[in-house]
Amino acid sequence: MSVPTIELDDGYTIPQLGFGVFQIDPDDTAQAVQTALEIGYRHIDTAEMYQNERGVGEGVRNSGVDRADVYITSKLNNSFHKPDDARRAFDETLTKLGSDYVDLFLIHWPLPTLYDGDFVSTWRTLEEFKKDGRARSIGVSNFQIDHLERLARETEFTPAVNQIEAHPYFTNDTVRGYGAEHGIVTEAWSPIAQGKVLGDPVVTRIAEAAGRTPAQVVLRWHIQRGDIVFPKSVTPQRIKENLALFDFELGDDDIQALTALDKGEAGRTGPNPDVFDYLPS
Ligand SMILES: NC(=O)c1ccc[n+]([C@@H]2O[C@H](COP(=O)([O-])OP(=O)(O)OC[C@H]3O[C@@H](n4cnc5c(N)ncnc54)[C@H](OP(=O)(O)O)[C@@H]3O)[C@@H](O)[C@H]2O)c1
């Protein structure tokens, strides 16, 4: 069962399904990543703020899979948006991963209420990493349309991706639509809303009819919408289940029924990027 790839605006390709490691204990990360790679995943999504990049690097090395065959994403810590801090933090990411490049590096949050609203100089710093080849692709996360428009006006590169919260309770279709029109691929974070959508009667009805699990149905909905997903699990059976998405298809009616579960802003499980201002100490 092979995972499709998506071509990014900069010519690189990314596997549409990966493995997320948010909230995996640093001590457990190497084993979880190794398990995922053994099961067949080839795309890992981490971040400086998850504090488990070292485990990701270790898991890849322990798996015996070539670094070149694994797509690795990391993201800038909110505390390091100033250019010199971002440069130091990016060096640290590469050291922790034990790699001389990342496939994709993101600004984790726009933080429009901090740093005088200046995520533009942060983005220009990521452009340096792209130019020197240490980040093959660069992108953003949790950017709203006005943030993306500002980058379009004031900077050189278009973000290859925008990683945003999206699932049936919060489809986030306006931001997704802007991305689709501007060559920015959407990555959907918390794709199963950290489990909250799995008991929904619409989800369980479609899952029963398809002979699939609720998680598979929701993840397949994302795949058919064309987004990139990386569900997180530390449970080997679930890690396996979440990869088995490419031997069935949902009909248009099912896709529409899942999309109709959208609750708008009330459906968010995470913070609103316009006001989120968390800085780790
Ligand atoms: N850019 C951002 O700001 C941002 C924010 C949040 C997340 N992310 C990224 O998106 C990834 C995924 O999001 P997430 O970790 O928040 O949530 P998620 O993938 O939507 O859900 C993870 C939760 O669902 C459970 N689960 C996983 N597979 C399951 C299955 N087949 N059946 C039942 N339960 C299942 C997991 O439990 P167990 O682990 O106990 O099995 C875990 O509690 C993250 O790991 C991270 O890489 C990015």
Side-chain angles (χ1 to χ4, degrees):
M1 245 183 315
S2 70
V3 174
T5 53
I6 290 186
E7 185 166 345
L8 302 174
D9 207 41
D10 62 9
Y12 284 104
T13 56
I14 178 169
Q16 193 181 1
L17 179 76
F19 182 67
V21 299
F22 177 43
Q23 292 175 329
I24 301 188
D25 191 288
D27 291 339
D28 300 334
T29 304
Q31 185 54 58
V33 166
Q34 185 178 339
T35 301
L37 292 169
E38 284 167 0
I39 287 171
Y41 290 77
R42 289 295 179 270
H43 168 183
I44 311 293
D45 185 272
T46 184
E48 291 172 359
M49 290 194 289
Y50 304 166
Q51 298 182 24
N52 57 17
E53 292 167 303
R54 211 177 281 286
V56 169
E58 222 178 285
V60 172
R61 282 188 298 282
N62 295 348
S63 74
V65 178
D66 267 0
R67 163 69 185 93
D69 295 330
V70 185
Y71 192 100
I72 301 180
T73 299
S74 194
K75 319 183 190 86
L76 182 66
N77 185 311
N78 286 352
S79 292
F80 301 136
H81 272 216
K82 289 188 183 153
D84 274 344
D85 293 339
R87 290 182 192 109
R88 272 192 294 273
F90 183 64
D91 287 347
E92 189 75 0
T93 279
L94 296 183
T95 303
K96 287 186 174 149
L97 289 170
S99 180
D100 53 8
Y101 72 98
V102 283
D103 295 277
L104 177 63
F105 195 67
L106 310 180
I107 299 181
H108 204 149
W109 288 89
L111 307 175
T113 63
L114 300 177
Y115 302 105
D116 296 322
D118 175 23
F119 45 77
V120 170
S121 64
T122 313
W123 179 250
R124 293 206 180 104
T125 311
L126 264 64
E127 289 180 332
E128 293 172 15
F129 307 154
K130 171 140 182 87
K131 285 179 185 166
D132 69 24
R134 292 184 303 152
R136 294 205 167 152
S137 298
I138 52 173
V140 293
S141 178
N142 300 300
F143 272 46
Q144 306 277 51
I145 291 175
D146 57 319
H147 307 141
L148 295 169
E149 283 180 331
R150 205 168 146 209
L151 292 189
R153 277 195 309 273
E154 298 180 36
T155 70
E156 192 179 341
F157 289 101
T158 303
V161 306
N162 187 17
Q163 184 176 127
I164 54 177
E165 178 174 354
H167 45 72
Y169 285 164
F170 183 60
T171 57
N172 216 342
D173 279 336
T174 313
V175 180
R176 287 177 71 251
Y178 179 92
E181 278 169 27
H182 293 85
I184 303 167
V185 174
T186 294
E187 297 191 320
W189 64 250
S190 292
I192 56 173
Q194 299 197 333
K196 290 182 193 74
V197 291
L198 302 183
D200 189 285
V202 171
V203 174
T204 54
R205 171 180 59 75
I206 295 172
E208 264 169 46
R212 296 287 170 156
T213 68
Q216 286 174 323
V217 159
V218 174
L219 293 169
R220 180 71 208 180
W221 170 82
H222 285 284
I223 297 289
Q224 289 183 221
R225 275 156 61 91
D227 292 352
I228 295 165
V229 278
F230 20 79
K232 169 265 175 186
S233 179
V234 290
T235 316
Q237 186 49 40
R238 289 175 172 175
I239 299 177
K240 208 181 244 175
E241 174 185 324
N242 295 346
L243 183 66
L245 305 178
F246 303 102
D247 58 348
F248 76 108
E249 214 169 302
L250 298 173
D252 289 345
D253 287 358
D254 292 340
I255 297 286
Q256 279 164 23
L258 291 166
T259 307
L261 295 176
D262 185 30
K263 302 173 198 275
E265 280 299 317
R268 280 189 193 274
T269 60
N272 184 321
D274 285 325
V275 293
F276 187 60
D277 60 0
Y278 168 70
L279 294 179
S281 47

